[in-house]
Amino acid sequence: MPVPAFPPLPPGFLDRLSSILGPRNLLTGGDATAPFLTDERRLFPGAAAAVACPGSTAEVSALVRACREAGVPIVPQGGNTGLVGGASAPAGSLLVNLRRMNRIRGVDPANATLTAEAGTVLATVQEAARDAGRLFPLSLASEGSAQIGGLLATNAGGINVLRHGNMRDLTLGIEAVMPDGRVLHGLGGLRKDNTGYDLRHLLIGSEGTLAILTAAVLRLSPLPRQRVTALVAVSGAAQALALLDLLRDRAGEALVAFEFMVQATVAMLVEAGHGFPVDPALPAFVLFDLTSADPEAPLAAQAEAILARAFDGGIVLDGTIGASEGQNRAMWDLRERLPEVQKHFGPSIKHDIAVAVSRIPDFLSRAGAACAAAMPGCRIVPFGHLGDGNLHYNLSPPDGMAPADFLARQGDINRIVHDIVHDLGGSISAEHGVGLMKRAELARYKDPVALDAMRAIKAALDPANLMNPGKLLP
Ligand SMILES: Cc1cc2nc3c(=O)[nH]c(=O)nc-3n(C[C@H](O)[C@H](O)[C@H](O)COP(=O)(O)OP(=O)(O)OC[C@H]3O[C@@H](n4cnc5c(N)ncnc54)[C@H](O)[C@@H]3O)c2cc1C
C-alpha cells in the first residue's frame, strides 16, 4: 500500500525548528540524515529532508505545534530497530528522533518503579534497575539500541513475556505530546486508577500514529539471585508443549522464558560455524530459564528433577543445564544470534505470528506442509517465544534460487501463512507491529468493527492526520 506523497516543507519551516531546537539538533543534508533514513531490514528507505532531535518534552511540544501550523507530517523514531517500516519517514515529513531525551528521571524502590525518558535505550534502563537492586525484565536481542519510546509504541515483547508480560504490562504510566501539541501528564506511577478511558493503553502500541511518547513509569521486579538455563531436545512442538505444561506445574512463577527452535533453524547456526551443546540433528529444541529471587532456593535441583521426569516420560530426548552464568549466557547468545545468522542464507520472508499456545503444533504442521508445497526446497526456520504462542515463522530461499525470485514470492507465502493463522484465530502481528509492511494484511484480517473504532479514534485525536500518516491503519 503506497504511503501518501506529501508536499515539500514550506519556506521558513526549518528556520523555525532550528530556533526551537538549536541548529545543532536539526540535522539536514544526506550524510547527517542517512543513518536515520535506513531501516534495520533495508526495506523501507526514508526520504525526509530533516531530522529533529528534541531534548525535552517542552521542545517536543513546540515542534508538534510548529508542524501542526505548517501542516507537516511527523514520524517519531527511537532506536530505528523496528522490522516493519514504522519509523520510515517519507519526503515532505519531519523525522523526530528522541535519542537526546535519554534521562532516567528517577527510581522509586518502594513503589518498584523507574521513570525514564522515551529516548533511553533499553539496556540503560535494565542497568539502572539493577543498580537499584531491581529488575526491569523486558529483554530482546535489540536491547542495546531499542528505546523506551519505540518499545512502548510497538508494545514490544521479547523473551520474558511468559513471566513478566510485554511492554504494556510493564508500564504504569506515560507522558506524551498529543497531536495538538499539548502534553498528556500520566507519570503518577499508580497501580489503581479507574477514572475513565485508559489513555496509557491506547497510546501503547499506537506506533506513533496518535502521539509522541516522551516518558514512562516502568514497573520493576525483584532482582533474580539465581538462574538456571537449560537447552533440551524434544521430538516436536507437541512435546515442547508437554514440557511447558510440566514446567509450569512444577516450577510455577520461576519459569520466565521458554523458547523453541526446530532442527532446520539450528542447522543454520551450525552451518554458520557455531557450536551447539546438544545433538543438532534432533528434531526440535527448547531453551528455558528458571529464576528465583531467593539465593537459597534449590533451583538447580528442582530443574534437574523436572527434566528427569520429562526424560522418563519421553518428553525430552536429551539436554544440558548451564553449569555457570557464562554457559547460560552462551546458550542465550545462540538464540539471539538467529536473526543475524539467517542473513547468511539470503533474504528472509518473515512472519511474526501468534496463536493460542495449544494451537502451535497444528499451526506448524499446516504452515510447514503448505509452504513446502508452494516453494519446494525452501528452508523453513521457525523460532521464538513458544511460551507466549508467538513464533517468528521465517523462510530462507531454496539452494540456487535468486534472491529477487525468492522475494517475488513474499506476497503469496504471506497469504498462505497468514490465512492459516487467521483460521486458527491468531494474530499476524504478535510483537513487531504493523508499520508499513502489514497494513494491507491488517485490512484483510482485522475485525472490521475494531478497524472502524481505530479509524474513529485516529480521526478524533489527529484530525489533520499528521502523526505518522500512512502507518498502521489501512
Ligand atoms: C535483532 C532484533 C531482534 C528483535 N527482537 C524483538 C523481540 O524479541 N521482541 C520484539 O517485540 N521486538 C523485537 N525486535 C523489534 C524492535 O526492536 C522493536 O519493535 C522495538 O520496540 C523498536 O524500538 P525502537 O526504539 O528501535 O523503535 P523504532 O524502530 O525507531 O520505531 C518503531 C515504531 O515506534 C514508533 N516510535 C518510536 N519512538 C516513538 C515515540 N517516542 N513516540 C511515539 N512513537 C514512537 C515509530 O514511529 C515506529 O512506528 C527486534 C529487532 C531486531 C533488530
Side-chain angles (χ1 to χ4, degrees):
M1 217 171 272
V3 182
F6 303 117
L9 298 178
F13 177 69
L14 291 181
D15 291 339
R16 178 157 180 209
L17 295 191
S18 182
S19 69
I20 294 169
L21 300 170
R24 281 182 35 215
N25 301 313
L26 182 67
L27 311 177
T28 53
D31 288 350
T33 56
F36 302 89
L37 301 176
T38 311
D39 68 295
E40 174 71 29
R41 297 184 65 192
R42 296 178 185 271
L43 292 177
F44 310 99
V51 177
C53 302
S56 66
T57 304
E59 285 184 7
V60 175
S61 168
L63 269 182
V64 170
R65 285 178 202 273
C67 288
R68 189 175 180 224
E69 282 164 28
V72 173
I74 298 169
V75 179
Q77 187 181 74
N80 199 17
T81 67
L83 303 172
V84 291
S88 167
S93 68
L94 178 72
L95 183 56
V96 178
N97 186 290
L98 277 291
R99 65 182 180 161
R100 286 181 62 231
M101 291 191 61
N102 58 6
R103 280 187 319 127
I104 305 283
R105 290 194 189 163
V107 181
D108 181 347
N111 198 39
T113 52
L114 176 154
T115 303
E117 290 185 340
T120 315
V121 168
L122 173 55
T124 307
V125 169
Q126 293 167 338
E127 202 179 310
R130 238 183 341 261
D131 290 348
R134 298 283 192 280
L135 172 77
F136 183 61
L138 194 83
S139 178
L140 32 79
S142 55
E143 64 197 23
S145 307
Q147 299 175 3
I148 292 304
L151 294 158
L152 285 164
T154 58
N155 185 26
I159 57 175
N160 294 334
V161 172
L162 179 63
R163 165 72 180 84
H164 294 285
N166 50 23
M167 203 55 185
R168 193 183 290 290
D169 303 305
L170 295 169
T171 305
L172 287 184
I174 54 164
E175 176 191 89
V177 174
M178 302 304 286
D180 61 5
R182 289 187 300 163
V183 179
L184 175 76
H185 297 283
L187 297 179
L190 305 180
R191 285 178 168 73
K192 290 190 167 180
D193 176 19
N194 282 351
T195 53
Y197 302 148
D198 195 327
L199 299 179
R200 159 189 52 159
H201 284 313
L202 177 62
L203 299 189
I204 295 173
S206 65
E207 299 190 35
T209 62
L210 296 179
I212 300 185
L213 303 160
T214 50
V217 182
L218 304 172
R219 187 196 291 265
L220 303 179
S221 292
L223 199 60
R225 295 191 178 75
Q226 289 190 70
R227 165 162 88 152
V228 171
T229 299
L231 179 61
V232 302
V234 291
S235 54
Q239 290 70 26
L241 285 194
L243 178 62
L244 177 64
D245 204 41
L246 184 64
L247 281 162
R248 276 186 167 143
D249 188 47
R250 300 285 155 146
E253 299 278 277
L255 178 65
V256 292
F258 190 90
E259 296 285 305
F260 181 71
M261 303 170 254
V262 301
Q263 193 273 331
T265 315
V266 169
M268 281 189 166
L269 281 170
V270 174
E271 283 174 50
H274 297 286
F276 198 72
V278 179
D279 179 358
L282 290 167
F285 304 89
V286 168
L287 178 62
F288 70 85
D289 261 1
L290 303 183
T291 68
S292 173
D294 177 1
E296 311 295 334
L299 200 63
Q302 190 183 17
E304 279 164 22
I306 295 170
L307 283 181
R309 196 182 172 93
F311 193 74
D312 291 345
I315 296 173
V316 160
L317 305 173
D318 191 8
T320 180
I321 293 181
S324 64
E325 190 48 30
Q327 287 189 5
N328 294 346
R329 264 194 243 111
M331 289 192 270
W332 277 104
D333 187 52
L334 287 170
R335 158 66 186 87
E336 278 167 7
R337 274 176 194 279
L338 287 172
E340 200 52 42
V341 163
Q342 206 193 343
K343 290 182 186 165
H344 298 209
F345 297 84
S348 317
I349 297 179
K350 295 179 189 257
H351 309 91
D352 167 37
I353 67 95
V355 293
V357 175
S358 53
R359 296 188 136 179
I360 287 274
D362 196 9
F363 165 76
L364 282 171
S365 67
R366 284 176 64 181
C371 290
M375 193 191 287
C378 68
R379 296 176 77 142
I380 303 172
V381 288
F383 60 89
H385 319 300
L386 183 64
D388 314 324
N390 170 204
L391 288 180
H392 301 309
Y393 193 79
N394 294 357
L395 273 67
S396 290
D399 285 345
M401 184 184 267
D405 293 343
F406 177 68
L407 287 176
R409 301 289 311 280
Q410 180 151 335
D412 34 292
I413 298 291
N414 286 168
R415 177 57 44 85
I416 287 168
V417 173
H418 289 163
D419 277 358
I420 294 169
V421 168
H422 188 65
D423 191 47
L424 291 171
S427 169
I428 56 144
S429 177
E431 61 173 9
H432 293 162
V434 174
L436 275 177
M437 193 169 155
K438 294 186 187 159
R439 280 167 66 213
E441 300 295 89
L442 205 68
R444 180 175 168 86
Y445 297 109
K446 186 84 178 171
D447 176 76
V449 177
L451 266 185
D452 281 351
M454 285 163 65
R455 290 193 183 106
I457 290 167
K458 170 75 172 168
L461 292 182
D462 182 20
N465 192 22
L466 292 181
M467 295 301 307
N468 217 359
K471 312 289 172 53
L472 174 59
L473 282 172

Short mmCIF file of all heavy atoms in Angstrom, two decimals, residues 9 17 60 70 102 117 228 260 298 332 364 407 441 465:
data_model
loop_
_atom_site.label_atom_id
_atom_site.label_comp_id
_atom_site.label_asym_id
_atom_site.label_seq_id
_atom_site.Cartn_x
_atom_site.Cartn_y
_atom_site.Cartn_z
N LEU A 9 8.52 20.73 2.34
CA LEU A 9 8.42 21.53 3.56
C LEU A 9 8.23 23.00 3.18
O LEU A 9 8.88 23.49 2.25
CB LEU A 9 9.71 21.39 4.38
CG LEU A 9 10.03 19.97 4.88
CD1 LEU A 9 11.35 19.96 5.64
CD2 LEU A 9 8.90 19.42 5.75
N LEU A 17 12.11 25.51 13.21
CA LEU A 17 12.53 24.36 14.02
C LEU A 17 13.89 24.62 14.64
O LEU A 17 14.15 24.29 15.80
CB LEU A 17 12.63 23.10 13.16
CG LEU A 17 11.35 22.55 12.55
CD1 LEU A 17 11.61 21.16 11.96
CD2 LEU A 17 10.23 22.48 13.57
N VAL A 60 9.56 19.01 22.33
CA VAL A 60 8.68 18.15 21.51
C VAL A 60 7.36 18.87 21.28
O VAL A 60 6.83 18.93 20.16
CB VAL A 60 8.44 16.76 22.16
CG1 VAL A 60 7.45 15.95 21.34
CG2 VAL A 60 9.75 16.00 22.33
N ALA A 70 2.13 24.32 10.22
CA ALA A 70 2.64 24.27 8.83
C ALA A 70 2.06 23.09 8.05
O ALA A 70 2.35 22.94 6.86
CB ALA A 70 4.16 24.20 8.86
N ASN A 102 17.13 11.10 27.01
CA ASN A 102 17.60 9.78 27.47
C ASN A 102 17.91 9.76 28.97
O ASN A 102 18.77 9.03 29.42
CB ASN A 102 18.84 9.37 26.67
CG ASN A 102 19.94 10.40 26.79
OD1 ASN A 102 19.82 11.34 27.56
ND2 ASN A 102 21.01 10.21 26.04
N GLU A 117 12.94 8.65 30.27
CA GLU A 117 12.51 9.37 29.08
C GLU A 117 12.49 8.42 27.88
O GLU A 117 13.17 7.39 27.85
CB GLU A 117 13.44 10.55 28.83
CG GLU A 117 13.25 11.62 29.90
CD GLU A 117 14.05 12.89 29.67
OE1 GLU A 117 15.06 12.84 28.92
OE2 GLU A 117 13.69 13.91 30.28
N VAL A 228 18.70 -20.71 36.33
CA VAL A 228 19.06 -21.99 35.72
C VAL A 228 18.60 -21.92 34.26
O VAL A 228 17.44 -21.63 33.99
CB VAL A 228 18.35 -23.17 36.42
CG1 VAL A 228 18.57 -24.45 35.63
CG2 VAL A 228 18.85 -23.31 37.84
N PHE A 260 11.59 -21.80 21.51
CA PHE A 260 11.52 -23.00 20.68
C PHE A 260 12.29 -22.80 19.38
O PHE A 260 12.28 -21.70 18.81
CB PHE A 260 10.04 -23.26 20.36
CG PHE A 260 9.76 -24.48 19.54
CD1 PHE A 260 9.90 -25.75 20.08
CD2 PHE A 260 9.32 -24.36 18.22
CE1 PHE A 260 9.62 -26.89 19.33
CE2 PHE A 260 9.02 -25.49 17.46
CZ PHE A 260 9.17 -26.75 18.02
N PRO A 298 16.40 -24.14 46.18
CA PRO A 298 17.09 -25.24 45.48
C PRO A 298 16.70 -25.32 44.00
O PRO A 298 16.16 -26.31 43.53
CB PRO A 298 16.61 -26.47 46.25
CG PRO A 298 15.25 -26.08 46.76
CD PRO A 298 15.26 -24.60 46.97
N TRP A 332 21.94 -18.54 25.52
CA TRP A 332 21.04 -17.48 25.07
C TRP A 332 21.61 -16.72 23.88
O TRP A 332 20.88 -16.25 23.00
CB TRP A 332 20.72 -16.52 26.23
CG TRP A 332 19.61 -17.08 27.06
CD1 TRP A 332 19.70 -17.69 28.27
CD2 TRP A 332 18.23 -17.17 26.68
NE1 TRP A 332 18.46 -18.13 28.68
CE2 TRP A 332 17.55 -17.83 27.72
CE3 TRP A 332 17.49 -16.76 25.56
CZ2 TRP A 332 16.17 -18.08 27.69
CZ3 TRP A 332 16.13 -17.01 25.53
CH2 TRP A 332 15.49 -17.66 26.57
N LEU A 364 2.15 -25.25 13.08
CA LEU A 364 3.43 -25.64 12.46
C LEU A 364 3.22 -26.72 11.40
O LEU A 364 3.84 -26.66 10.33
CB LEU A 364 4.41 -26.11 13.54
CG LEU A 364 5.08 -25.01 14.33
CD1 LEU A 364 5.86 -25.58 15.51
CD2 LEU A 364 6.01 -24.17 13.46
N LEU A 407 12.11 -13.26 -3.20
CA LEU A 407 11.32 -12.17 -2.61
C LEU A 407 10.06 -11.88 -3.42
O LEU A 407 9.07 -11.39 -2.87
CB LEU A 407 12.19 -10.91 -2.48
CG LEU A 407 13.23 -11.00 -1.35
CD1 LEU A 407 14.12 -9.78 -1.32
CD2 LEU A 407 12.56 -11.21 0.01
N GLU A 441 -2.32 -6.37 5.14
CA GLU A 441 -2.71 -7.58 5.86
C GLU A 441 -3.72 -7.26 6.95
O GLU A 441 -4.65 -8.02 7.19
CB GLU A 441 -1.47 -8.24 6.49
CG GLU A 441 -0.40 -8.66 5.51
CD GLU A 441 -0.85 -9.75 4.57
OE1 GLU A 441 -1.40 -9.39 3.51
OE2 GLU A 441 -0.66 -10.94 4.88
N ASN A 465 -4.40 14.30 10.44
CA ASN A 465 -3.63 13.12 10.04
C ASN A 465 -2.15 13.45 9.86
O ASN A 465 -1.53 13.14 8.83
CB ASN A 465 -4.21 12.51 8.75
CG ASN A 465 -3.63 11.12 8.47
OD1 ASN A 465 -3.14 10.45 9.38
ND2 ASN A 465 -3.66 10.71 7.21
#
